[in-house]
Amino acid sequence: MDLPFSGKTAVIVGATSGIGLAVAERAGALGARVQCIGRHPVSGMDVSLLDLDKPQNREVALEMARECDILVVVRGPFVQEPLDSTDPSVWESLVTANLIFPGQLVSASLPRMCRNGWGRILLFGGTRTDRVRGFRTNAAYAAAKTGLSSLVLSTAQGYASRGITCNGICPGFVDSGMHDTEIRRELECLSPLSKLVEEHDIASTAEFLLKTPSINGTIVR
């Protein structure tokens, strides 16, 4: 059986439900020792239950990132509000969670990856945030996630020669099982295939990006 990540440690942030859990399971199946960070216990997984809205818990996660070979950041809190009603505290929390903290995790993980000459980084953006666009009702969230796309490209360009890849996924509207009927119907109408994306399909894409050393600086949407 092919175990390309045997002997590697993967830290997956936002790994205890949904897309993150599906990616964590794939990484484990490929031989990685997976350390999950999230809010929910998961049977059979090594989980650190951390509320990442608290600075002291973000410090714990950064320590874990300093010892990893594979870093995946799925977590990204969403708020839908027009700009004229977006409170300064919302701006601060969204940008911290969706851009500053992922950037800190990347910076924390790179020294070990550089020493070892090998590393894999995968960051998850938001719907249609692969490039600069305008958003009417979620500008703060989209601004932070668009910045994350720049981080992907910058990391890829800066560290490709050290055996490190960094890619991104902007997964679109996902079938998380949490949408009510009306919202689900609206999202399906906005999706190119008129249906929501399955979590296992996103996990398959994540696996491909993590396994393939020649793909670097790619943002899939």
Side-chain angles (χ1 to χ4, degrees), residues 171-174 184-197:
F173 302 118
V174 179
R184 183 185 181 90
R185 188 177 297 115
E186 290 177 5
L187 295 179
E188 286 175 342
C189 290
L190 293 171
S191 299
L193 296 176
S194 298
K195 65 178 183 179
L196 302 186
V197 181

Side-chain angles (χ1 to χ4, degrees), residues 200-215:
H200 65 81
D201 289 334
I202 298 171
S204 294
T205 302
E207 176 182 336
F208 177 71
L209 293 174
L210 291 170
K211 285 172 58 177
T212 310
S214 60
I215 297 181

Side-chain angles (χ1 to χ4, degrees), residues 43-199:
S43 177
M45 305 289 281
D46 180 3
V47 178
S48 295
L49 297 175
L50 298 175
D51 178 358
L52 294 176
D53 291 330
K54 297 180 178 179
Q56 64 269 29
N57 289 338
R58 293 198 292 271
E59 287 298 324
V60 174
L62 288 171
E63 284 299 320
M64 295 171 65
R66 292 185 180 102
E67 300 300 324
C68 78
D69 306 290
I70 301 165
L71 174 67
V72 180
V73 184
V74 183
R75 177 182 183 262
F78 176 78
V79 172
Q80 187 158 356
E81 292 180 349
L83 278 171
D84 61 315
S85 61
T86 303
D87 188 82
S89 63
V90 173
W91 267 104
E92 184 173 356
S93 64
L94 281 177
V95 174
T96 296
N98 288 296
L99 180 57
I100 294 175
F101 184 52
Q104 291 171 336
L105 287 166
V106 170
S107 292
S109 71
L110 283 170
R112 171 186 167 90
M113 294 179 182
C114 287
R115 289 194 302 270
N116 293 339
W118 194 96
R120 297 289 181 268
I121 300 172
L122 180 62
L123 306 179
F124 277 75
T127 302
R128 301 176 66 243
T129 61
D130 55 304
R131 61 182 177 85
V132 176
R133 291 183 170 92
F135 293 82
R136 293 178 181 272
T137 61
N138 60 332
Y141 169 84
K145 284 295 194 182
T146 302
L148 202 66
S149 292
S150 177
L151 176 61
V152 167
L153 299 178
S154 298
T155 306
Q157 290 180 16
Y159 295 90
S161 64
R162 311 296 291 272
I164 299 166
T165 69
C166 183
N167 295 291
I169 298 177
C170 296
F173 302 118
V174 179
D175 189 359
S176 63
M178 300 176 64
H179 304 301
D180 61 36
T181 302
E182 183 178 351
I183 295 297
R184 183 185 181 90
R185 188 177 297 115
E186 290 177 5
L187 295 179
E188 286 175 342
C189 290
L190 293 171
S191 299
L193 296 176
S194 298
K195 65 178 183 179
L196 302 186
V197 181
E198 299 287 341
E199 291 171 351

